[in-house]
Amino acid sequence: MPRRKASKIPSPTMMRIMGRLRMLNYWLVAQVALVALKLLRLLPVDKGLNFADRAARTVGPWFGRHRVALSNLRAAYPEKSEAEIEAIALDMWGNMGRLGAEYIFLGQIFDYDPEAETPGRIEVTGNDHFLKIASEDKPHIVFTGHLGNFELLPIAAATFGMKITSLFRPPNNPYLAEYIFSTRASNMGDLLASQRGASFALAGILDRGGNVGVLVDQKFKRGLRTTFFGRECETNPVLAMLARHYDCDVYPAHCIRLPGGRYRLTIEDKLALPRRDDGAVDVQATTQMLNDTVERWIREDPGQWMWFHKRWGLTEGRRRKVNKSGKLSADS
């Protein structure tokens, strides 16, 4: 057999050059994005959001992520025609365009007033749950998915006097990450970056009787094997493990866009978490329940979810499961 040619390891100097080029690319992309947002700020809210929607629907299909979205949609909806699949993908890009533009209009968009007789842009379903969580002196977990403008949920929580720390994944681009973090922090209360040690930080918040908000619909490398839209995937088990350890209430919440530039924020009844024979929360079954809940929301309006996520990739050769002690283990 022919000998495989060994791959050449870049020199330290080349590595530094590559790193600087990558940072330069990040900086250039960020400058273009920030200039576009500044220009949008000059427009009235609805005109700015509508422009971002149209632009994203035009530009989105140029990117490789569009092919990922189409592939995921075909697998999730084998009964739908190509025209229907393409329409959902374009709705998704419109949703993404609006989400990006909404960062600069958050102060104008969020007009919710619990005492108002008629709703404005924002309507809330499940007010009593927000009030209940805010009034209880114990830890809670609220989870959501990347639907509609999910960023509005912690703002709504603050309206009801509910303090919550939201776990978020910053963009790879550090310049955009800094801008987004500053925008979020000024409107959404405490934020916690999803990085090494984040699960311990979440545990510390719950240990002090605090509330945490978590997005649960992204791929988690070497996570628990679960299903989503009938396909096997890997899911982060940390929410279920924290719920088990602290035996705290877990509430589903999500946002959808409504016609006319309006939004509905919904917080549902707390979940009846599946339990083992000894009464402890079943981590595997609870993690699957989270997937099933998010899938239900997406099926109600699939164009409002981020289908370009590589949600269904699996880590080769390993399967994660929960052993009897409640800890994760891996099979080769």
Side-chain angles (χ1 to χ4, degrees), residues 99 103 141-154 164-170 184 191-192 194 202 212-220 235-239 251 253-255 290-291 294 297 305-306 309 311:
L99 180 63
Y103 280 111
I141 299 174
V142 180
F143 73 91
T144 189
H146 290 85
L147 290 106
N149 190 329
F150 49 91
E151 309 281 17
L152 294 173
L153 289 166
I164 189 167
T165 299
S166 302
L167 183 69
F168 80 103
R169 183 185 182 281
R184 284 173 162 175
L191 296 170
L192 177 64
S194 178
L202 290 176
V212 298
V214 185
L215 286 155
V216 298
D217 57 344
Q218 289 181 294
K219 172 180 167 57
F220 185 74
T235 303
N236 192 337
V238 68
L239 188 157
Y251 286 85
H254 71 291
C255 170
L290 304 181
N291 280 3
V294 176
W297 295 335
W305 191 63
M306 299 180 183
H309 281 169
R311 180 68 179 91

Side-chain angles (χ1 to χ4, degrees), residues 12 44 121 134 170 177 215 218 229 250 264 285 290 304 332:
R121 286 183 180 273
L215 286 155
Q218 289 181 294
F229 280 86
V250 176
R264 178 183 296 126
L290 304 181
Q304 300 202 33
S332 297

